[in-house]
Amino acid sequence: MASSKVTHGKCLCGTVEIRAEGDFKACVACSCKNCQICSGSAFTVNLAYQKGSITVTKGLDDLKKYEDKATDSGKSVWRRFCGRCGSGIYSEIEDGTCFVKAPIVEGALDNQPVAHIFTRNLPGWAKDSKTGNQVENGPPS
């Protein structure tokens, strides 16, 4: 369930790299409308880290920040992403908790989420993990 003491992640183009200190608190999936829009998917998978755990080790000038308002609570969520390739890097909520996008960390998607929040927004096809036939090497030709 927990990560190693130091975790590294990078965006798709490799311009932005981060380092997360300590174990993550939880692996959480989120299907809030804003996460769906940002990810272009039915949900995001995130590694929750305590305040002050994340350091940008490369590409700080290319790391962009967008202040979002959570649809349900109205609270601020700061979403950070690569300004070159657009990859989501992490989000931070008002108490300082950071949610690193699991796909940017090698092997992080092997962690089973302990919770899936805002599932009322899940489309019918995504309920019960029914995502269609699995095709290992891409779509059939």
Side-chain angles (χ1 to χ4, degrees):
M1 177 174 133
S3 69
S4 62
K5 292 290 181 193
V6 176
T7 301
H8 299 274
K10 63 182 179 180
C11 66
L12 181 63
C13 70
T15 297
V16 176
E17 295 182 6
I18 64 162
R19 173 182 162 143
E21 296 284 339
D23 291 336
F24 60 85
K25 297 190 290 187
C27 181
V28 179
C30 182
S31 289
C32 76
K33 283 293 187 185
N34 293 11
C35 279
Q36 288 175 331
I37 292 168
C38 285
S39 70
S41 185
F43 57 89
T44 61
V45 179
N46 308 284
L47 307 175
Y49 284 90
Q50 66 186 24
K51 181 178 183 175
S53 299
I54 308 301
T55 303
V56 178
T57 58
K58 181 181 169 196
L60 184 59
D61 290 341
D62 288 299
L63 186 68
K64 303 302 178 194
K65 179 169 73 171
Y66 173 71
E67 184 177 355
D68 190 10
K69 292 290 182 189
T71 305
D72 291 315
S73 69
K75 293 183 178 181
S76 292
V77 177
W78 293 272
R79 297 179 184 275
R80 289 175 174 80
F81 59 95
C82 175
R84 290 191 181 196
C85 68
S87 297
I89 306 296
Y90 70 96
S91 297
E92 185 177 355
I93 60 175
E94 289 182 1
D95 72 0
T97 301
C98 292
F99 295 91
V100 173
K101 304 306 176 197
I104 75 161
V105 176
E106 183 84 25
L109 287 175
D110 292 337
N111 292 286
Q112 177 70 36
V114 296
H116 190 156
I117 58 177
F118 298 106
T119 57
R120 69 176 173 273
N121 297 316
L122 266 176
W125 60 262
K127 293 186 187 318
D128 301 324
S129 299
K130 293 179 182 173
T131 57
N133 294 329
Q134 294 184 6
V135 179
E136 188 172 318
N137 295 315
S141 37

